[in-house]
Short mmCIF file of all heavy atoms in Angstrom, two decimals:
data_model
loop_
_atom_site.label_atom_id
_atom_site.label_comp_id
_atom_site.label_asym_id
_atom_site.label_seq_id
_atom_site.Cartn_x
_atom_site.Cartn_y
_atom_site.Cartn_z
N MET A 1 140.45 -90.92 70.06
CA MET A 1 140.46 -92.23 69.46
C MET A 1 139.52 -92.19 68.25
O MET A 1 138.40 -91.69 68.36
CB MET A 1 139.96 -93.25 70.49
CG MET A 1 139.94 -94.66 69.95
SD MET A 1 139.39 -95.88 71.17
CE MET A 1 140.65 -95.75 72.39
N LEU A 2 139.99 -92.70 67.15
CA LEU A 2 139.18 -92.70 65.95
C LEU A 2 138.32 -93.95 65.88
O LEU A 2 138.67 -94.99 66.45
CB LEU A 2 140.09 -92.64 64.71
CG LEU A 2 140.99 -91.41 64.62
CD1 LEU A 2 141.82 -91.47 63.35
CD2 LEU A 2 140.19 -90.13 64.66
N LYS A 3 137.20 -93.86 65.21
CA LYS A 3 136.32 -95.01 65.04
C LYS A 3 137.09 -96.15 64.37
O LYS A 3 137.90 -95.91 63.48
CB LYS A 3 135.11 -94.64 64.19
CG LYS A 3 134.13 -93.76 64.91
CD LYS A 3 132.93 -93.47 64.04
CE LYS A 3 131.95 -92.58 64.78
NZ LYS A 3 130.80 -92.23 63.95
N GLY A 4 136.85 -97.35 64.83
CA GLY A 4 137.49 -98.52 64.23
C GLY A 4 138.88 -98.80 64.76
O GLY A 4 139.56 -99.69 64.24
N THR A 5 139.34 -98.04 65.76
CA THR A 5 140.67 -98.27 66.32
C THR A 5 140.55 -98.62 67.80
O THR A 5 139.53 -98.38 68.43
CB THR A 5 141.58 -97.03 66.17
OG1 THR A 5 141.04 -95.96 66.94
CG2 THR A 5 141.70 -96.61 64.72
N ALA A 6 141.62 -99.17 68.35
CA ALA A 6 141.64 -99.53 69.77
C ALA A 6 142.61 -98.67 70.56
O ALA A 6 142.71 -98.80 71.77
CB ALA A 6 142.01 -101.00 69.92
N GLU A 7 143.34 -97.80 69.88
CA GLU A 7 144.34 -96.95 70.52
C GLU A 7 144.08 -95.49 70.18
O GLU A 7 143.55 -95.19 69.11
CB GLU A 7 145.75 -97.33 70.06
CG GLU A 7 146.15 -98.76 70.33
CD GLU A 7 146.33 -99.06 71.81
OE1 GLU A 7 146.73 -98.13 72.56
OE2 GLU A 7 146.06 -100.18 72.22
N PHE A 8 144.51 -94.59 71.06
CA PHE A 8 144.40 -93.17 70.75
C PHE A 8 145.40 -92.79 69.68
O PHE A 8 146.47 -93.40 69.55
CB PHE A 8 144.60 -92.33 72.02
CG PHE A 8 143.38 -92.31 72.90
CD1 PHE A 8 143.25 -93.18 73.96
CD2 PHE A 8 142.35 -91.42 72.64
CE1 PHE A 8 142.12 -93.18 74.75
CE2 PHE A 8 141.21 -91.40 73.42
CZ PHE A 8 141.09 -92.28 74.48
N LEU A 9 145.07 -91.79 68.90
CA LEU A 9 145.85 -91.36 67.75
C LEU A 9 147.25 -90.89 68.15
O LEU A 9 147.41 -90.09 69.07
CB LEU A 9 145.10 -90.22 67.03
CG LEU A 9 145.69 -89.69 65.75
CD1 LEU A 9 145.78 -90.78 64.69
CD2 LEU A 9 144.84 -88.54 65.24
N ALA A 10 148.28 -91.39 67.46
CA ALA A 10 149.67 -90.98 67.66
C ALA A 10 150.20 -90.46 66.33
O ALA A 10 150.25 -91.20 65.36
CB ALA A 10 150.50 -92.16 68.15
N LEU A 11 150.57 -89.19 66.31
CA LEU A 11 151.03 -88.57 65.07
C LEU A 11 152.54 -88.38 65.01
O LEU A 11 153.04 -87.58 64.24
CB LEU A 11 150.36 -87.19 64.87
CG LEU A 11 148.85 -87.22 64.66
CD1 LEU A 11 148.32 -85.80 64.47
CD2 LEU A 11 148.49 -88.06 63.45
N ASN A 12 153.28 -89.11 65.81
CA ASN A 12 154.74 -89.04 65.78
C ASN A 12 155.30 -90.38 65.31
O ASN A 12 155.86 -91.14 66.09
CB ASN A 12 155.29 -88.69 67.16
CG ASN A 12 154.96 -87.28 67.54
OD1 ASN A 12 155.03 -86.37 66.72
ND2 ASN A 12 154.60 -87.07 68.79
N PRO A 13 155.15 -90.69 64.02
CA PRO A 13 155.62 -91.99 63.52
C PRO A 13 157.12 -92.17 63.73
O PRO A 13 157.88 -91.22 63.65
CB PRO A 13 155.26 -91.95 62.04
CG PRO A 13 155.13 -90.50 61.70
CD PRO A 13 154.70 -89.82 62.97
N GLY A 14 157.50 -93.38 64.02
CA GLY A 14 158.91 -93.68 64.20
C GLY A 14 159.40 -93.39 65.60
O GLY A 14 160.50 -93.74 65.96
N GLN A 15 158.59 -92.73 66.40
CA GLN A 15 158.96 -92.46 67.78
C GLN A 15 158.15 -93.39 68.67
O GLN A 15 157.75 -94.46 68.24
CB GLN A 15 158.72 -90.99 68.12
CG GLN A 15 159.59 -90.06 67.29
CD GLN A 15 159.29 -88.60 67.59
OE1 GLN A 15 158.49 -88.27 68.43
NE2 GLN A 15 159.95 -87.72 66.86
N THR A 16 157.89 -92.99 69.87
CA THR A 16 157.10 -93.85 70.75
C THR A 16 155.66 -93.89 70.27
O THR A 16 155.22 -93.05 69.50
CB THR A 16 157.13 -93.31 72.19
OG1 THR A 16 156.47 -92.04 72.21
CG2 THR A 16 158.55 -93.16 72.70
N LEU A 17 154.93 -94.86 70.74
CA LEU A 17 153.52 -94.97 70.38
C LEU A 17 152.64 -94.19 71.35
O LEU A 17 151.47 -94.49 71.51
CB LEU A 17 153.11 -96.44 70.34
CG LEU A 17 153.79 -97.25 69.23
CD1 LEU A 17 153.35 -98.71 69.31
CD2 LEU A 17 153.46 -96.69 67.87
N GLN A 18 153.22 -93.18 71.99
CA GLN A 18 152.46 -92.34 72.90
C GLN A 18 151.39 -91.59 72.12
O GLN A 18 151.68 -91.04 71.06
CB GLN A 18 153.37 -91.32 73.59
CG GLN A 18 154.23 -91.93 74.65
CD GLN A 18 153.44 -92.20 75.91
OE1 GLN A 18 152.41 -92.87 75.89
NE2 GLN A 18 153.92 -91.68 77.01
N PRO A 19 150.17 -91.55 72.63
CA PRO A 19 149.14 -90.76 71.95
C PRO A 19 149.52 -89.29 71.89
O PRO A 19 150.17 -88.77 72.79
CB PRO A 19 147.91 -90.95 72.84
CG PRO A 19 148.18 -92.17 73.64
CD PRO A 19 149.66 -92.23 73.80
N THR A 20 149.15 -88.65 70.82
CA THR A 20 149.42 -87.22 70.65
C THR A 20 148.48 -86.43 71.55
O THR A 20 147.30 -86.75 71.66
CB THR A 20 149.20 -86.82 69.18
OG1 THR A 20 150.09 -87.58 68.37
CG2 THR A 20 149.45 -85.35 68.96
N GLU A 21 149.01 -85.39 72.21
CA GLU A 21 148.19 -84.52 73.04
C GLU A 21 147.72 -83.35 72.20
O GLU A 21 148.52 -82.54 71.73
CB GLU A 21 148.99 -84.03 74.25
CG GLU A 21 149.33 -85.14 75.21
CD GLU A 21 150.09 -84.65 76.43
OE1 GLU A 21 150.17 -83.42 76.66
OE2 GLU A 21 150.60 -85.51 77.16
N PHE A 22 146.41 -83.28 72.00
CA PHE A 22 145.80 -82.23 71.18
C PHE A 22 145.15 -81.18 72.07
O PHE A 22 144.70 -81.49 73.17
CB PHE A 22 144.69 -82.82 70.29
CG PHE A 22 145.19 -83.78 69.25
CD1 PHE A 22 145.18 -85.14 69.47
CD2 PHE A 22 145.65 -83.31 68.02
CE1 PHE A 22 145.63 -86.03 68.52
CE2 PHE A 22 146.10 -84.20 67.06
CZ PHE A 22 146.09 -85.56 67.31
N SER A 23 145.07 -79.97 71.56
CA SER A 23 144.31 -78.90 72.19
C SER A 23 143.21 -78.50 71.22
O SER A 23 143.49 -78.21 70.05
CB SER A 23 145.19 -77.68 72.47
OG SER A 23 146.18 -77.99 73.41
N PHE A 24 141.98 -78.51 71.70
CA PHE A 24 140.85 -78.13 70.86
C PHE A 24 140.91 -76.64 70.58
O PHE A 24 141.14 -75.83 71.47
CB PHE A 24 139.52 -78.48 71.54
CG PHE A 24 138.32 -78.00 70.79
CD1 PHE A 24 137.91 -78.65 69.63
CD2 PHE A 24 137.63 -76.89 71.21
CE1 PHE A 24 136.81 -78.20 68.92
CE2 PHE A 24 136.52 -76.44 70.51
CZ PHE A 24 136.12 -77.09 69.37
N VAL A 25 140.72 -76.24 69.31
CA VAL A 25 140.73 -74.83 68.93
C VAL A 25 139.31 -74.34 68.65
O VAL A 25 138.84 -73.40 69.28
CB VAL A 25 141.64 -74.58 67.69
CG1 VAL A 25 141.59 -73.14 67.25
CG2 VAL A 25 143.06 -75.02 67.99
N ARG A 26 138.63 -75.00 67.70
CA ARG A 26 137.28 -74.57 67.35
C ARG A 26 136.66 -75.57 66.38
O ARG A 26 137.34 -76.42 65.82
CB ARG A 26 137.27 -73.18 66.74
CG ARG A 26 137.97 -73.10 65.39
CD ARG A 26 138.00 -71.65 64.86
NE ARG A 26 138.85 -71.55 63.71
CZ ARG A 26 138.44 -71.73 62.45
NH1 ARG A 26 137.19 -72.00 62.19
NH2 ARG A 26 139.28 -71.62 61.45
N PHE A 27 135.35 -75.40 66.18
CA PHE A 27 134.66 -76.12 65.13
C PHE A 27 134.74 -75.29 63.87
O PHE A 27 134.68 -74.06 63.92
CB PHE A 27 133.18 -76.36 65.48
CG PHE A 27 132.99 -77.36 66.56
CD1 PHE A 27 132.62 -76.97 67.83
CD2 PHE A 27 133.19 -78.71 66.31
CE1 PHE A 27 132.45 -77.90 68.83
CE2 PHE A 27 133.02 -79.65 67.31
CZ PHE A 27 132.64 -79.24 68.58
N LYS A 28 134.88 -75.93 62.74
CA LYS A 28 134.93 -75.23 61.46
C LYS A 28 133.49 -74.97 61.00
O LYS A 28 132.70 -75.89 60.86
CB LYS A 28 135.70 -76.05 60.42
CG LYS A 28 136.10 -75.27 59.22
CD LYS A 28 137.10 -76.05 58.40
CE LYS A 28 137.49 -75.20 57.21
NZ LYS A 28 138.39 -75.91 56.33
N GLU A 29 133.18 -73.71 60.81
CA GLU A 29 131.82 -73.27 60.45
C GLU A 29 131.29 -73.98 59.22
O GLU A 29 131.99 -74.12 58.21
CB GLU A 29 131.86 -71.76 60.19
CG GLU A 29 130.52 -71.10 60.10
CD GLU A 29 129.92 -70.80 61.46
OE1 GLU A 29 130.69 -70.64 62.41
OE2 GLU A 29 128.70 -70.74 61.54
N GLY A 30 130.06 -74.47 59.30
CA GLY A 30 129.40 -75.07 58.14
C GLY A 30 129.83 -76.48 57.78
O GLY A 30 129.42 -77.01 56.75
N THR A 31 130.66 -77.10 58.61
CA THR A 31 131.10 -78.47 58.34
C THR A 31 131.00 -79.27 59.64
O THR A 31 130.62 -78.74 60.67
CB THR A 31 132.57 -78.53 57.86
OG1 THR A 31 133.41 -78.14 58.95
CG2 THR A 31 132.81 -77.62 56.68
N TYR A 32 131.35 -80.51 59.58
CA TYR A 32 131.41 -81.34 60.78
C TYR A 32 132.84 -81.42 61.31
O TYR A 32 133.17 -82.31 62.07
CB TYR A 32 130.91 -82.76 60.48
CG TYR A 32 129.45 -82.81 60.14
CD1 TYR A 32 129.02 -82.91 58.83
CD2 TYR A 32 128.48 -82.76 61.14
CE1 TYR A 32 127.68 -82.96 58.51
CE2 TYR A 32 127.14 -82.80 60.84
CZ TYR A 32 126.74 -82.90 59.52
OH TYR A 32 125.41 -82.94 59.21
N CYS A 33 133.69 -80.50 60.87
CA CYS A 33 135.11 -80.57 61.21
C CYS A 33 135.44 -79.84 62.51
O CYS A 33 134.87 -78.80 62.82
CB CYS A 33 135.95 -79.97 60.09
SG CYS A 33 135.87 -80.91 58.57
N ALA A 34 136.40 -80.39 63.23
CA ALA A 34 136.95 -79.75 64.41
C ALA A 34 138.43 -79.50 64.16
O ALA A 34 139.10 -80.27 63.48
CB ALA A 34 136.78 -80.64 65.64
N ILE A 35 138.91 -78.40 64.71
CA ILE A 35 140.32 -78.04 64.54
C ILE A 35 141.02 -78.17 65.89
O ILE A 35 140.54 -77.66 66.90
CB ILE A 35 140.46 -76.60 64.00
CG1 ILE A 35 139.75 -76.51 62.63
CG2 ILE A 35 141.92 -76.20 63.90
CD1 ILE A 35 139.65 -75.10 62.09
N PHE A 36 142.13 -78.89 65.87
CA PHE A 36 142.96 -79.09 67.06
C PHE A 36 144.38 -78.64 66.72
O PHE A 36 144.76 -78.59 65.55
CB PHE A 36 143.01 -80.58 67.43
CG PHE A 36 141.70 -81.16 67.84
CD1 PHE A 36 140.83 -81.69 66.90
CD2 PHE A 36 141.33 -81.21 69.17
CE1 PHE A 36 139.62 -82.24 67.27
CE2 PHE A 36 140.12 -81.77 69.56
CZ PHE A 36 139.26 -82.28 68.60
N THR A 37 145.17 -78.35 67.74
CA THR A 37 146.60 -78.10 67.54
C THR A 37 147.37 -79.14 68.37
O THR A 37 146.83 -79.70 69.32
CB THR A 37 147.03 -76.69 67.97
OG1 THR A 37 146.68 -76.48 69.34
CG2 THR A 37 146.40 -75.62 67.09
N PHE A 38 148.61 -79.37 67.97
CA PHE A 38 149.49 -80.27 68.71
C PHE A 38 150.92 -79.86 68.42
O PHE A 38 151.21 -79.19 67.44
CB PHE A 38 149.24 -81.74 68.35
CG PHE A 38 149.61 -82.11 66.93
CD1 PHE A 38 150.82 -82.72 66.65
CD2 PHE A 38 148.74 -81.84 65.88
CE1 PHE A 38 151.15 -83.07 65.35
CE2 PHE A 38 149.06 -82.18 64.58
CZ PHE A 38 150.27 -82.80 64.30
N SER A 39 151.82 -80.23 69.31
CA SER A 39 153.25 -79.95 69.12
C SER A 39 153.93 -81.18 68.56
O SER A 39 153.64 -82.30 68.98
CB SER A 39 153.91 -79.57 70.44
OG SER A 39 153.40 -78.34 70.89
N GLN A 40 154.82 -80.95 67.61
CA GLN A 40 155.55 -82.05 67.00
C GLN A 40 157.02 -81.73 67.04
O GLN A 40 157.45 -80.65 66.63
CB GLN A 40 155.09 -82.26 65.57
CG GLN A 40 155.65 -83.50 64.93
CD GLN A 40 155.04 -83.75 63.57
OE1 GLN A 40 154.86 -82.83 62.79
NE2 GLN A 40 154.72 -85.00 63.28
N GLN A 41 157.80 -82.67 67.53
CA GLN A 41 159.25 -82.49 67.62
C GLN A 41 159.86 -82.72 66.24
O GLN A 41 159.81 -83.84 65.73
CB GLN A 41 159.87 -83.46 68.63
CG GLN A 41 161.34 -83.27 68.84
CD GLN A 41 161.67 -81.95 69.51
OE1 GLN A 41 160.99 -81.52 70.42
NE2 GLN A 41 162.72 -81.30 69.07
N PRO A 42 160.42 -81.67 65.62
CA PRO A 42 161.06 -81.87 64.31
C PRO A 42 162.35 -82.68 64.45
O PRO A 42 162.94 -82.73 65.51
CB PRO A 42 161.35 -80.46 63.83
CG PRO A 42 161.24 -79.58 65.02
CD PRO A 42 160.45 -80.31 66.07
N LYS A 43 162.75 -83.30 63.36
CA LYS A 43 163.96 -84.13 63.38
C LYS A 43 165.23 -83.27 63.45
O LYS A 43 166.24 -83.72 63.96
CB LYS A 43 164.02 -85.01 62.13
CG LYS A 43 162.94 -86.06 62.11
CD LYS A 43 163.03 -86.90 60.87
CE LYS A 43 161.90 -87.93 60.86
NZ LYS A 43 161.90 -88.75 59.68
N VAL A 44 165.16 -82.04 62.94
CA VAL A 44 166.36 -81.22 62.84
C VAL A 44 166.46 -80.20 63.97
O VAL A 44 167.46 -80.14 64.66
CB VAL A 44 166.39 -80.46 61.49
CG1 VAL A 44 167.78 -79.91 61.22
CG2 VAL A 44 165.97 -81.37 60.36
N ALA A 45 165.43 -79.40 64.16
CA ALA A 45 165.47 -78.32 65.16
C ALA A 45 165.09 -78.86 66.54
O ALA A 45 164.27 -79.77 66.65
CB ALA A 45 164.52 -77.21 64.75
N PRO A 46 165.67 -78.29 67.59
CA PRO A 46 165.36 -78.75 68.94
C PRO A 46 164.04 -78.19 69.49
O PRO A 46 163.62 -78.56 70.57
CB PRO A 46 166.54 -78.25 69.76
CG PRO A 46 167.01 -77.03 69.03
CD PRO A 46 166.74 -77.31 67.57
N VAL A 47 163.40 -77.30 68.77
CA VAL A 47 162.18 -76.66 69.25
C VAL A 47 160.96 -77.30 68.60
O VAL A 47 160.88 -77.40 67.38
CB VAL A 47 162.20 -75.14 68.93
CG1 VAL A 47 160.93 -74.47 69.39
CG2 VAL A 47 163.43 -74.50 69.53
N PRO A 48 159.99 -77.76 69.40
CA PRO A 48 158.78 -78.35 68.83
C PRO A 48 158.02 -77.35 67.98
O PRO A 48 158.00 -76.17 68.27
CB PRO A 48 157.96 -78.76 70.05
CG PRO A 48 158.91 -78.77 71.19
CD PRO A 48 159.98 -77.78 70.85
N ALA A 49 157.39 -77.83 66.93
CA ALA A 49 156.60 -76.98 66.04
C ALA A 49 155.13 -77.18 66.34
O ALA A 49 154.68 -78.30 66.57
CB ALA A 49 156.90 -77.34 64.59
N GLU A 50 154.38 -76.08 66.34
CA GLU A 50 152.94 -76.16 66.54
C GLU A 50 152.29 -76.52 65.21
O GLU A 50 152.54 -75.89 64.19
CB GLU A 50 152.42 -74.79 67.01
CG GLU A 50 150.98 -74.78 67.39
CD GLU A 50 150.73 -75.29 68.80
OE1 GLU A 50 151.68 -75.66 69.51
OE2 GLU A 50 149.57 -75.33 69.18
N ARG A 51 151.49 -77.56 65.22
CA ARG A 51 150.82 -78.06 64.01
C ARG A 51 149.32 -77.98 64.20
O ARG A 51 148.82 -77.98 65.32
CB ARG A 51 151.21 -79.51 63.73
CG ARG A 51 152.68 -79.74 63.55
CD ARG A 51 153.14 -79.27 62.21
NE ARG A 51 154.52 -79.67 62.01
CZ ARG A 51 155.40 -78.91 61.39
NH1 ARG A 51 155.04 -77.76 60.89
NH2 ARG A 51 156.63 -79.33 61.25
N GLU A 52 148.61 -77.97 63.07
CA GLU A 52 147.15 -77.96 63.10
C GLU A 52 146.64 -79.30 62.57
O GLU A 52 147.19 -79.85 61.62
CB GLU A 52 146.64 -76.81 62.25
CG GLU A 52 145.16 -76.55 62.40
CD GLU A 52 144.73 -75.30 61.67
OE1 GLU A 52 144.60 -75.35 60.43
OE2 GLU A 52 144.54 -74.28 62.34
N PHE A 53 145.59 -79.81 63.19
CA PHE A 53 144.99 -81.08 62.79
C PHE A 53 143.50 -80.83 62.64
O PHE A 53 142.83 -80.39 63.57
CB PHE A 53 145.27 -82.14 63.86
CG PHE A 53 144.69 -83.49 63.55
CD1 PHE A 53 145.24 -84.27 62.55
CD2 PHE A 53 143.62 -83.98 64.28
CE1 PHE A 53 144.71 -85.53 62.27
CE2 PHE A 53 143.09 -85.23 64.01
CZ PHE A 53 143.64 -86.01 63.00
N ILE A 54 142.97 -81.10 61.45
CA ILE A 54 141.55 -80.91 61.16
C ILE A 54 140.96 -82.28 60.89
O ILE A 54 141.49 -83.05 60.10
CB ILE A 54 141.34 -79.98 59.95
CG1 ILE A 54 141.99 -78.64 60.21
CG2 ILE A 54 139.85 -79.82 59.66
CD1 ILE A 54 142.01 -77.71 59.01
N ILE A 55 139.83 -82.58 61.56
CA ILE A 55 139.21 -83.89 61.42
C ILE A 55 137.69 -83.76 61.39
O ILE A 55 137.13 -82.86 62.01
CB ILE A 55 139.66 -84.82 62.57
CG1 ILE A 55 139.17 -86.25 62.34
CG2 ILE A 55 139.24 -84.27 63.92
CD1 ILE A 55 139.80 -87.27 63.22
N ASP A 56 137.08 -84.65 60.65
CA ASP A 56 135.62 -84.74 60.63
C ASP A 56 135.19 -85.32 61.98
O ASP A 56 135.62 -86.42 62.35
CB ASP A 56 135.18 -85.65 59.48
CG ASP A 56 133.69 -85.71 59.29
OD1 ASP A 56 132.94 -85.65 60.30
OD2 ASP A 56 133.25 -85.84 58.14
N CYS A 57 134.37 -84.60 62.71
CA CYS A 57 133.95 -85.05 64.05
C CYS A 57 133.26 -86.40 64.03
O CYS A 57 133.30 -87.12 65.02
CB CYS A 57 133.01 -84.02 64.67
SG CYS A 57 133.81 -82.48 65.07
N ARG A 58 132.67 -86.76 62.93
CA ARG A 58 132.00 -88.05 62.83
C ARG A 58 132.98 -89.22 62.83
O ARG A 58 132.59 -90.37 62.98
CB ARG A 58 131.11 -88.08 61.59
CG ARG A 58 129.99 -87.04 61.65
CD ARG A 58 129.28 -86.89 60.35
NE ARG A 58 130.18 -86.28 59.36
CZ ARG A 58 129.80 -85.90 58.16
NH1 ARG A 58 128.55 -86.06 57.77
NH2 ARG A 58 130.67 -85.35 57.33
N SER A 59 134.29 -88.93 62.68
CA SER A 59 135.32 -89.97 62.71
C SER A 59 135.87 -90.20 64.11
O SER A 59 136.63 -91.13 64.33
CB SER A 59 136.49 -89.57 61.80
OG SER A 59 136.06 -89.46 60.48
N ILE A 60 135.48 -89.36 65.05
CA ILE A 60 136.00 -89.45 66.42
C ILE A 60 135.11 -90.38 67.24
O ILE A 60 133.90 -90.19 67.31
CB ILE A 60 136.07 -88.06 67.07
CG1 ILE A 60 137.01 -87.14 66.27
CG2 ILE A 60 136.55 -88.18 68.52
CD1 ILE A 60 136.99 -85.70 66.72
N ALA A 61 135.72 -91.37 67.88
CA ALA A 61 134.97 -92.30 68.73
C ALA A 61 135.07 -91.89 70.19
O ALA A 61 134.14 -92.10 70.96
CB ALA A 61 135.50 -93.72 68.56
N ALA A 62 136.22 -91.31 70.61
CA ALA A 62 136.40 -90.96 72.02
C ALA A 62 137.43 -89.86 72.17
O ALA A 62 138.35 -89.73 71.36
CB ALA A 62 136.85 -92.18 72.81
N LEU A 63 137.26 -89.08 73.22
CA LEU A 63 138.23 -88.06 73.64
C LEU A 63 138.55 -88.35 75.09
O LEU A 63 137.69 -88.79 75.85
CB LEU A 63 137.65 -86.65 73.52
CG LEU A 63 137.27 -86.19 72.13
CD1 LEU A 63 136.54 -84.85 72.20
CD2 LEU A 63 138.48 -86.07 71.24
N SER A 64 139.78 -88.09 75.49
CA SER A 64 140.18 -88.30 76.87
C SER A 64 140.80 -87.02 77.40
O SER A 64 141.82 -86.56 76.87
CB SER A 64 141.20 -89.43 76.95
OG SER A 64 141.63 -89.60 78.28
N PRO A 65 140.20 -86.40 78.42
CA PRO A 65 140.77 -85.15 78.95
C PRO A 65 142.08 -85.42 79.68
O PRO A 65 142.26 -86.48 80.28
CB PRO A 65 139.70 -84.64 79.91
CG PRO A 65 138.96 -85.86 80.33
CD PRO A 65 139.02 -86.82 79.15
N LEU A 66 142.97 -84.45 79.59
CA LEU A 66 144.23 -84.54 80.32
C LEU A 66 144.08 -83.79 81.64
O LEU A 66 143.37 -82.78 81.70
CB LEU A 66 145.37 -83.91 79.51
CG LEU A 66 145.68 -84.58 78.18
CD1 LEU A 66 146.73 -83.77 77.42
CD2 LEU A 66 146.21 -85.98 78.44
N SER A 67 144.72 -84.26 82.66
CA SER A 67 144.69 -83.51 83.92
C SER A 67 145.58 -82.30 83.79
O SER A 67 146.62 -82.33 83.13
CB SER A 67 145.14 -84.41 85.07
OG SER A 67 146.45 -84.86 84.83
N THR A 68 145.15 -81.21 84.37
CA THR A 68 145.94 -79.98 84.32
C THR A 68 146.70 -79.83 85.62
O THR A 68 146.16 -80.14 86.70
CB THR A 68 145.04 -78.74 84.10
OG1 THR A 68 144.03 -78.73 85.11
CG2 THR A 68 144.39 -78.79 82.72
N PRO A 69 147.94 -79.37 85.54
CA PRO A 69 148.74 -79.21 86.76
C PRO A 69 148.10 -78.15 87.66
O PRO A 69 147.61 -77.15 87.19
CB PRO A 69 150.11 -78.76 86.27
CG PRO A 69 150.02 -78.61 84.81
CD PRO A 69 148.65 -79.00 84.36
N SER A 70 148.11 -78.39 88.95
CA SER A 70 147.51 -77.40 89.87
C SER A 70 148.56 -76.55 90.52
O SER A 70 149.70 -76.71 90.45
CB SER A 70 146.68 -78.08 90.92
OG SER A 70 147.17 -79.31 91.31
#
């Protein structure tokens, strides 16, 4: 969830308002940035594409862990 918002970030515009599920990759050396990956369903191909999302950590208000299947 980004600062100043009430909902978790959704990067699939035009689809459902489901929050995007990110995987943390690493912190970017020498900056306040964090790198995450997420899958995005392309409009044409049936296979989701892996995307990278870089954000200034100071813009993040909350993170919510996902439960992992056992």
Side-chain angles (χ1 to χ4, degrees):
M1 181 179 296
L2 300 180
K3 288 182 180 178
T5 65
E7 301 292 329
F8 282 95
L9 184 61
L11 295 180
N12 291 319
Q15 297 177 3
T16 65
L17 294 178
Q18 286 283 55
T20 300
E21 293 182 11
F22 294 96
S23 295
F24 174 75
V25 177
R26 66 183 171 90
F27 289 107
K28 195 167 181 183
E29 193 81 26
T31 68
Y32 293 101
C33 294
I35 300 172
F36 296 88
T37 57
F38 67 98
S39 293
Q40 188 173 42
Q41 184 67 41
K43 292 180 182 179
V44 195
V47 179
E50 187 82 0
R51 302 284 187 217
E52 190 173 77
F53 180 72
I54 302 172
I55 188 167
D56 185 326
C57 292
R58 297 170 291 187
S59 298
I60 299 172
L63 298 172
S64 178
L66 297 174
S67 60
T68 55
S70 34

